[in-house]
Amino acid sequence: MSAPVAAPYCRFEKIGSPDLDGDETVLGVIEHGTGHTGASLVDGVPRTAVHTTTRDEQAFAEVWHAPGPVESGTDDGIAWARTGEYLFGVGRVHESGRYADAVSALYTRIFGLTRSLGRPLLARTWNYISGINSANADGLEVYRDFCVGRGQALDGLGVDPAGMPAATGIGAHGGGIACVFIAARGGVRVNIENPAVLTAHHYPAAYGPHPPVFARATWLGPGEEGGRLFVSATAGILGHETTHHGDVTGQCEVALDNIARVVGAENLRRHGVPRGHVLADVDHLKVYVRRREDLAAVRRVCAARLSSTATVAVLHTDIARGDLLVEIEGVVR
């Protein structure tokens, strides 16, 4: 019997790094920088660039790997690559005065593609949203417009909100909306909640016509060995309310407390995952900071609480709520 295939993992590389050329384990690349591109297949690798920072020195490529061989293609605007067990894909919605219908159509295509390519277990999504806190043509905040569209797709497909995995919904400085996802053929997928934070799809109506739909983390793998814990973009929220208004240090501390709580042994055992973790086990973190003047403070807090060997990228972009100043995501392996 062949050994189980380990779940996908990421590395942060310099954009244009020669190390990426010819690497047969590469599933997909997200370039974080000062510009944006569409979703495309380049030399058999799905790629997109997202405008998630404002200085070139903060740019990097987020490179997702999985044991090959890798097959790739495009389908109705979605660039994808798959191994025997896993699928990576990226699609785009062009800038518009209204997003809901186009987002609904894209998510409907994503679910159709995961089924048709035999990788139906959606395990992680990222949504990079231009003008996330601005008003659309109808006066609705763009993030809420996005949530309406995603919700329409899930409702139309009969997808249980509890089945939606770890996710990021974060601002971008242009380029419409990029949707990136990882899915699996089978194995173990467990969506994890945070006992100190209300489940997202139970948020009250004050947060928009359709609540956000995602888990606080998702465990994916063939079993305890070789698995991966994907931690959603996590903010300084308790219950459903923003804490420490105007205080980035306080919000950053609460966000890290929330991550520690989600990955901790007690919480994971509650969800049937036997192995617990501590904050120092979280790696390849992306830290999104709303105000440029807060970057140094956020770096100090993260340096004090995260592992000294962790790979941490700090990006300057907007956050899903107007009163949130920082969000943090990462991966545990």
Side-chain angles (χ1 to χ4, degrees):
M1 180 181 296
S2 60
V5 179
Y9 63 95
C10 73
R11 292 175 179 159
F12 295 169
E13 308 276 1
K14 290 183 178 180
I15 292 176
S17 169
D19 294 342
L20 304 183
D21 296 338
D23 188 333
E24 295 181 354
T25 73
V26 174
L27 267 183
V29 178
I30 311 167
E31 294 183 357
H32 295 267
T34 57
H36 62 268
T37 64
S40 61
L41 199 65
V42 180
D43 297 327
V45 176
R47 290 178 179 258
T48 194
V50 290
H51 192 170
T52 47
T53 196
T54 52
R55 291 188 178 173
D56 289 336
E57 62 266 27
Q58 295 166 349
F60 69 98
E62 178 183 347
V63 185
W64 283 91
H65 298 257
V70 176
E71 173 191 10
S72 60
T74 58
D75 191 291
D76 201 8
I78 300 172
W80 57 267
R82 65 176 175 177
T83 65
E85 297 294 329
Y86 302 108
L87 170 69
F88 179 99
V90 57
R92 276 274 186 179
V93 172
H94 297 299
E95 290 200 43
S96 174
R98 300 177 181 86
Y99 283 109
D101 289 346
V103 168
S104 178
L106 177 56
Y107 262 88
T108 299
R109 297 200 306 274
I110 287 170
F111 274 95
L113 185 67
T114 62
R115 291 194 299 267
S116 67
L117 293 178
R119 309 294 182 271
L121 285 180
L122 196 62
R124 183 64 163 96
T125 67
W126 294 264
N127 306 281
Y128 300 99
I129 303 168
S130 177
I132 193 168
N133 302 130
S134 61
N136 74 359
D138 300 315
L140 182 67
E141 185 186 50
V142 167
Y143 180 61
R144 298 181 180 195
D145 188 9
F146 163 82
C147 288
V148 169
R150 179 174 55 184
Q152 286 176 352
L154 303 184
D155 293 345
L157 294 167
V159 175
D160 183 350
M164 286 297 284
T168 294
I170 204 72
H173 298 285
I177 299 175
C179 297
V180 183
F181 63 93
I182 292 173
R185 182 171 66 88
V188 179
R189 184 197 67 174
V190 182
N191 290 332
I192 311 294
E193 291 298 325
N194 179 350
V197 179
L198 187 65
T199 298
H201 61 269
H202 292 158
Y203 277 5
Y207 294 100
H210 199 290
V213 183
F214 64 93
R216 303 298 170 179
T218 293
W219 170 262
L220 176 69
E224 185 173 353
E225 296 301 322
R228 206 82 61 216
L229 183 61
F230 301 112
V231 180
S232 294
T234 302
I237 293 171
L238 292 174
H240 59 79
E241 297 179 335
T242 299
T243 63
H244 298 284
H245 289 268
D247 175 8
V248 72
T249 298
Q251 287 193 16
C252 194
E253 294 281 9
V254 174
L256 290 169
D257 289 345
N258 276 330
I259 292 174
R261 191 177 292 112
V262 165
V263 306
E266 181 180 356
N267 191 52
L268 292 185
R269 279 198 302 268
R270 186 182 297 115
H271 290 83
V273 178
R275 182 183 175 190
H277 301 277
V278 295
L279 193 57
D281 295 329
V282 185
D283 199 0
H284 287 87
L285 299 108
K286 297 200 293 294
V287 183
Y288 306 101
V289 182
R290 177 183 297 278
R291 303 184 305 207
R292 174 163 293 284
E293 62 267 27
D294 290 336
L295 292 175
V298 168
R299 288 192 179 100
R300 284 195 297 271
V301 174
C302 289
R305 297 197 57 186
L306 299 170
S307 169
S308 61
T309 62
T311 300
V312 182
V314 180
L315 297 163
H316 173 219
T317 196
D318 288 334
I319 316 293
R321 288 189 195 176
D323 57 3
L324 289 175
L325 304 177
V326 59
E327 283 198 323
I328 305 170
E329 64 174 83
V331 182
V332 180
R333 56 181 298 187

